[in-house]
Amino acid sequence: MTFNASGWHHEFMQFLAEDLSDDANPLTRALVKCSRPAYSALTSIARDVLAGKSIQRSCLLLDSLITDSRRHLSSKATGKSLAGWMRLYTDSCLLRSLADLGPSTALESIARLDSIIITCGIASGRLDSILSIIKCIQRSYLSINSFCAYAIASRSTLANNDELRGNLYASSSDVLLLLDAPSLLSFKTNYSKSPFAISGFACDWPALVEHPWCSTAYLHSISGPGRVIPVEIGVDYRAQGWTQELMKWDDFLAYLDLDDKPLLTNTTRDHIIYLAQHNLSLQFPELLKDIIVPDYVYVSLDPPEFCHYRPPGNDEQLVINMWLGPKGTISPAHTVCDICTQWTPKV
């Protein structure tokens, strides 16, 4: 959902208040089933905020609803209960972000909206609206930098064959290195039952050419100011002291070894910080234009080896997780049923 550039704030508040009163909406019904008192409080707050009344009191009540819904989400709620608490968390965060919105609260509001995407993803039921509101807040209260493509003296590269072979030797089983991508039929009949790597497969992706993911300027341009992401802190999740937290996207970009900023040395880093197994494209949909999903993911594979695998029926059913980290980031040995593309800094 998109909103009028001038009256977007009132327009969305009106939409939300009306949507909360829609008994036919399955997510509204799930919310009512979880907690009718919370639902009643939320609808009352929505009307007050829309009317510009009791803003300070509304903010305090919304903070309480956010805390309560987050507690239930952390307790491993399932099924319709999960859907209901997600809707309460989503709409409470949305209302709280808009209730006292202004120049001094814009960054806090964007961070709160990002937390909805990180916590609930598509299940929030309001992803498009959240992304539109973030852009409206950025345009209304913050400065946005555009990106102009230019020649970057790149330190990033796809691994050459020797480097790739060296990495593959660390595998507990043989990994075949292919110089050319196999056909879909060849993949299904000859290569689908064991891991393999294709050298240079992504060399023409926009992410390595006109929309360089090795550029701080580009990655900042597709996000705009004020965004936050989930990161992991520590060499890997088995290490003592490993933890997870939310981090400002701009701070994370400043931490990485990207091509249009000075190269950091290990002595300047107290901790390894990285983004792992997160669908970053939910927060920054423009990133999807920069990659080309291999056709292999749509191939139906034969049982019994793949009796539980069902290929995605369309692009919306794809799960695209991303990893970003500096030199020294480690992913412990594990088995996955994924297609993975990787490029690394050349240092």
Side-chain angles (χ1 to χ4, degrees):
M1 183 176 184
T2 56
F3 303 100
N4 184 278
S6 57
W8 66 269
H9 186 282
H10 184 272
E11 184 180 347
F12 177 75
M13 289 302 308
Q14 187 170 26
F15 160 77
L16 188 57
E18 293 173 355
D19 192 57
L20 280 169
S21 64
D22 181 10
D23 294 337
N25 188 317
L27 290 176
T28 300
R29 292 201 301 269
L31 169 55
V32 172
K33 189 173 182 179
C34 277
S35 174
R36 181 169 287 277
Y39 168 74
S40 299
L42 194 63
T43 54
S44 176
I45 293 169
R47 290 192 294 268
D48 284 347
V49 173
L50 179 61
K53 301 188 305 182
S54 307
I55 298 301
Q56 186 175 2
R57 174 178 174 274
S58 294
C59 289
L60 291 174
L61 291 172
L62 288 167
D63 286 338
S64 178
L65 290 175
I66 291 169
T67 299
D68 189 44
S69 57
R70 190 162 48 204
R71 177 174 57 82
H72 281 87
L73 291 174
S74 300
S75 66
K76 310 297 183 184
T78 58
K80 291 184 178 179
S81 173
L82 176 62
W85 292 118
M86 279 190 174
R87 175 44 62 99
L88 178 60
Y89 180 74
T90 295
D91 287 356
S92 297
C93 286
L94 276 165
L95 282 170
R96 181 65 181 86
S97 298
L98 297 175
D100 62 349
L101 181 62
S104 63
T105 60
L107 291 176
E108 183 181 357
S109 293
I110 291 173
R112 194 181 291 111
L113 295 170
D114 264 330
S115 74
I116 303 174
I117 304 174
I118 294 166
T119 303
C120 304
I122 296 175
S124 69
R126 302 201 190 279
L127 181 59
D128 289 343
S129 295
I130 293 167
L131 292 172
S132 294
I133 292 169
I134 288 175
K135 288 187 178 297
C136 286
I137 295 174
Q138 290 172 330
R139 286 195 297 264
S140 299
Y141 300 104
L142 304 169
S143 59
I144 301 176
N145 297 322
S146 59
F147 175 76
C148 296
Y150 60 94
I152 298 176
S154 180
R155 294 192 300 263
S156 298
T157 179
L158 291 170
N160 62 41
N161 292 342
D162 290 337
E163 292 170 331
L164 190 53
R165 286 192 184 94
N167 293 332
L168 297 182
Y169 288 150
S171 172
S172 60
S173 60
D174 291 335
V175 179
L176 183 64
L177 174 60
L178 303 179
L179 300 181
D180 297 304
S183 66
L184 295 183
L185 178 61
S186 182
F187 165 71
K188 182 174 182 178
T189 57
N190 300 322
Y191 298 109
S192 61
K193 294 181 175 62
S194 59
F196 64 90
I198 306 171
S199 177
F201 183 81
C203 62
D204 294 326
W205 286 14
L208 274 77
V209 189
E210 65 267 29
H211 295 160
W213 288 14
C214 61
S215 164
T216 302
Y218 174 69
L219 293 176
H220 186 270
S221 72
I222 55 93
S223 67
R227 308 302 297 272
V228 299
I229 58 163
V231 297
E232 302 185 8
I233 302 174
V235 175
D236 68 63
Y237 60 79
R238 303 165 302 178
Q240 185 176 7
W242 176 89
T243 187
Q244 296 172 293
E245 64 180 45
L246 296 182
M247 183 177 187
K248 294 178 181 178
W249 174 241
D250 289 349
D251 290 347
F252 182 65
L253 293 181
Y255 171 84
L256 296 178
D257 298 322
L258 298 178
D259 287 347
D260 50 0
K261 59 183 287 293
L263 180 65
L264 294 175
T265 64
N266 288 333
T267 57
T268 63
R269 291 192 174 102
D270 295 327
H271 306 284
I272 293 292
I273 301 174
Y274 55 98
L275 178 145
Q277 201 166 326
H278 173 58
N279 191 346
L280 194 61
S281 63
L282 289 182
Q283 293 183 259
F284 312 141
E286 291 85 351
L287 292 176
L288 291 176
K289 302 174 185 177
D290 300 340
I291 62 175
I292 301 172
V293 177
D295 291 335
Y296 304 128
V297 303
Y298 298 105
V299 174
S300 295
L301 301 175
D302 298 326
E305 290 89 350
F306 303 99
C307 57
H308 299 296
Y309 177 76
R310 296 292 182 273
N314 52 51
D315 289 349
E316 292 182 356
Q317 295 178 10
L318 285 170
V319 177
I320 302 177
N321 288 326
M322 300 181 185
W323 285 254
L324 290 173
K327 181 181 179 181
T329 305
I330 297 172
S331 179
H334 59 287
T335 300
V336 294
C337 297
D338 295 336
I339 291 180
C340 177
T341 304
Q342 176 177 329
W343 58 90
T344 58
K346 185 176 182 180
V347 294

